[in-house]
Amino acid sequence: MAEVAEVAEGPAEIQAGERVETSVELGGYQQELKRTLGSFQVFAISFAFISVAVGIFATYDDVLQTAGPVGIWLWVIAAVGQVLVALVVAQLAARIPLSGSSYQWASRLTNPKIGWGFGWLAFCYLAIGVVAVDNALASQAFMPLAGIEPDEGTARLITVVVLLVQALLAVASTRLVSLINTGAVGIELALVVVVAIALTIAVVVTGDGAADNLVSRGVTENAPDYFAVGGGLMLAMIMGLATLVGFDAAANLAEEAKDPHRSVPRAIVGSVVAAGLLGMLFLIALTVAIDDIPKVTADGSPVAAIMRDQLGPVMEKVLLVAITFAFFGAGMVVMVACSRMIFAMSRDSRFPAHRLMRRVNPRTQTPIPATVLIFTLGVVLMVALPGAALLELITASTILPALTYGSTVVLYLAVRKGLDRKKGAFDLGRFELPVAICALAWTLVALFVLVAPREALVSVVIVVGLLAAGGLYFLFMLKFDREGLETEPGDMSAFKH
């Protein structure tokens, strides 16, 4: 019990009858956000962001078209690599449980200028991610469920409506968001397990499907560049790289978590492990259940097609309902995580319109202006960008988390010897260095996989453009608000030794 008391986080910590400052106070802030998130709710935030069912539903067609069914086994490589990264991220989250995650870690362990770069990377990824998830919800789940014919204009209108509903829920209450999100995660977990079992039974009973699918190249059998750099097999890894990200979302809500030194790191690692295992189970069941590989590959929504063929149209509708709810939960978590990043940077005077963006409503205890900004950006993207540009922007969002994770691992390797070690908090001990080195090697491989294909050129240019836009604001701050980039609130030695 004494060990728990040492890491508990509430309005204030009490040890041996004396008041001890919490991590928020040590960071130089007041506790403005409400601590309402328990261990499972924190886990649900990271798991919902990953949203394994959503990721597979959205990218399984790409795997079939570029690598064939055998491409699903690259999921294992991606899962192991991302677990390594999550272990490193958890080390930092255990020591500095503040909203803003990587932004805070880099600011306090190196200097505010480097921290600002981390924050801008994360903001760009999260802001685009909200739009990517909600647009996919509209076009790939809700419209087929409602029997609406494919139409880009309709999909964009639905996306804006979904963004509005999510924003209203996000500003109303973090607890409400957590309850909805927990329900979405529960449905998703049940969906993956139940569907995998149901498909396996259907294949055994009907004989439609084959275990040989697991080693089939499908329609790519004679593809000349299958094993080439940037070729079909390499492209299939993007399913895992695009899905198994966002596990650090729990760290962005650390100031709203109970016992964050323990609950947040465990949520980060646990969500990736759970998503990796469940995702592989789901992929195997789906792939074995394919009765006609060319037909399913040609379908715009192969997961739904497999469900329809094996379990009937009713189960297909059930799948679409569950996927729609999972999409909604994932999009809402991304929006909340992004609002916390904006809030964290703004209270340090390092984000545009920071005086407004740092405000927290005293009744709801949520950062309303930051949330409204994300909604507004989403509407602008829906209205202003043509279809091809929007697609390239969304594709670019897969590169940004790889950059962020690679930078975070480098940060950890640079500062690990000076990190404070809090008793009872998550700690890899003697395994930290080999894990971090392997994680760094993996992030370099992941970046290469994402930027090597010829199709990735436009996305790379977009990422460079986003970083350049941030660089311009950074130069503006250096000239007109240098103090914001040279001073850090709180006790700078609080998280070091």
Side-chain angles (χ1 to χ4, degrees):
M1 293 296 291
E3 183 179 289
V4 173
E6 287 191 26
V7 296
E9 287 266 356
E13 296 179 8
I14 305 297
Q15 297 176 16
E18 296 183 4
R19 184 183 185 282
V20 179
E21 291 183 305
T22 66
S23 57
V24 175
E25 293 171 324
L26 288 171
Y29 311 119
Q30 294 181 343
Q31 183 71 51
E32 296 181 86
L33 304 174
K34 191 174 183 180
R35 288 196 186 276
T36 59
L37 304 177
S39 295
F40 181 77
Q41 292 167 319
V42 175
F43 164 82
I45 286 167
S46 283
F47 189 85
F49 197 125
I50 295 172
S51 197
V52 61
V54 167
I56 291 173
F57 188 85
T59 58
Y60 190 60
D61 58 336
D62 294 325
V63 174
L64 295 179
Q65 292 164 14
T66 60
V70 71
I72 66 168
W73 296 107
L74 292 172
W75 176 275
V76 177
I77 298 174
V80 171
Q82 295 300 79
V83 167
L84 291 171
V85 175
L87 287 168
V88 176
V89 171
Q91 290 278 97
L92 292 167
R95 290 165 170 79
I96 308 179
L98 296 172
S99 294
S101 55
S102 59
Y103 156 71
Q104 291 281 8
W105 306 336
S107 292
R108 295 178 181 280
L109 297 176
T110 56
N111 65 69
K113 296 183 180 69
I114 293 176
W116 186 93
F118 275 73
W120 183 256
L121 262 179
F123 162 71
C124 290
Y125 166 56
L126 294 170
I128 298 170
V130 177
V131 177
V133 172
D134 288 349
N135 190 245
L137 182 160
S139 61
Q140 298 181 34
F142 182 79
M143 290 175 67
L145 174 63
I148 301 172
E149 290 297 317
D151 178 74
E152 186 178 329
T154 303
R156 290 183 182 228
L157 178 60
I158 294 171
T159 301
V160 170
V161 173
V162 172
L163 283 166
L164 176 61
V165 174
Q166 290 170 335
L168 291 174
L169 291 170
V171 302
S173 166
T174 300
R175 182 170 179 78
L176 177 61
V177 168
S178 175
L179 289 173
I180 294 172
N181 182 58
T182 301
V185 167
I187 290 174
E188 183 173 355
L189 288 168
L191 169 71
V192 171
V193 174
V194 170
V195 167
I197 294 173
L199 286 175
T200 302
I201 293 173
V203 170
V204 171
V205 172
T206 66
D208 296 332
D212 289 346
N213 292 343
L214 296 172
V215 293
S216 171
R217 285 175 54 177
V219 299
T220 69
E221 186 66 40
N222 299 311
D225 60 347
Y226 188 78
F227 295 103
V229 173
L233 188 62
M234 181 182 287
L235 287 172
M237 191 178 286
I238 292 178
M239 177 169 65
L241 293 178
T243 302
L244 299 172
V245 295
F247 43 81
D248 52 324
N252 254 334
L253 276 75
E255 291 179 29
E256 294 154 89
K258 301 172 183 176
D259 192 6
H261 295 281
R262 289 178 175 172
S263 63
V264 171
R266 289 173 180 174
I268 290 170
V269 178
S271 61
V272 186
V273 172
L277 293 174
L278 288 172
M280 197 67 249
L281 171 68
F282 194 36
L283 286 169
I284 291 172
L286 283 172
T287 304
V288 170
I290 298 176
D291 184 38
D292 186 333
I293 292 176
K295 186 187 78 170
V296 169
T297 301
D299 195 287
S301 182
V303 176
I306 294 168
M307 291 281 290
R308 182 172 61 248
D309 292 344
Q310 292 287 359
L311 304 174
V314 173
M315 283 302 296
E316 179 192 7
K317 290 292 184 183
V318 172
L319 168 71
L320 289 173
V321 169
I323 288 291
T324 299
F325 195 26
F327 264 118
F328 185 84
M332 190 161 58
V333 165
V334 181
M335 178 177 284
V336 171
C338 189
S339 70
R340 272 40 173 192
M341 180 62 69
I342 294 171
F343 162 74
M345 295 181 72
S346 295
R347 67 180 172 184
D348 292 338
S349 303
R350 296 172 193 161
F351 195 84
H354 56 82
R355 290 182 179 84
L356 174 63
M357 294 301 147
R358 66 171 297 165
R359 292 181 184 173
V360 173
N361 184 280
R363 185 175 64 83
T364 64
Q365 291 185 279
T366 56
I368 293 179
T371 307
V372 172
L373 173 64
I374 301 163
F375 167 72
T376 304
L377 289 174
V379 173
V380 169
L381 291 177
M382 285 294 100
V383 172
L385 286 184
L390 179 62
L391 180 61
E392 293 293 352
L393 181 66
I394 290 173
T395 305
S397 69
T398 62
I399 299 174
L400 291 168
L403 284 173
T404 300
Y405 293 145
S407 301
T408 302
V409 174
V410 171
L411 168 69
Y412 180 78
L413 286 168
V415 304
R416 68 181 185 86
K417 291 184 177 179
L419 288 176
D420 180 39
R421 298 183 182 275
K422 192 174 183 69
K423 185 178 179 182
F426 183 88
D427 194 339
L428 287 175
R430 66 178 182 274
F431 296 106
E432 65 175 80
L433 183 58
V435 166
I437 291 173
C438 291
L440 178 60
W442 163 248
T443 57
L444 293 175
V445 170
L447 273 172
F448 178 75
V449 168
L450 290 168
V451 303
R454 291 187 299 273
E455 299 86 348
L457 178 60
V458 176
S459 298
V460 171
V461 171
I462 290 174
V463 170
V464 172
L466 291 171
L467 297 181
L472 290 175
Y473 183 71
F474 182 81
L475 292 175
F476 172 84
M477 289 190 66
L478 281 178
K479 184 171 180 61
F480 298 104
D481 192 14
R482 180 179 289 270
E483 184 179 356
L485 289 172
E486 294 182 344
T487 58
E488 190 73 29
D491 182 359
M492 288 295 291
S493 65
F495 308 107
K496 305 177 185 179
H497 67 256

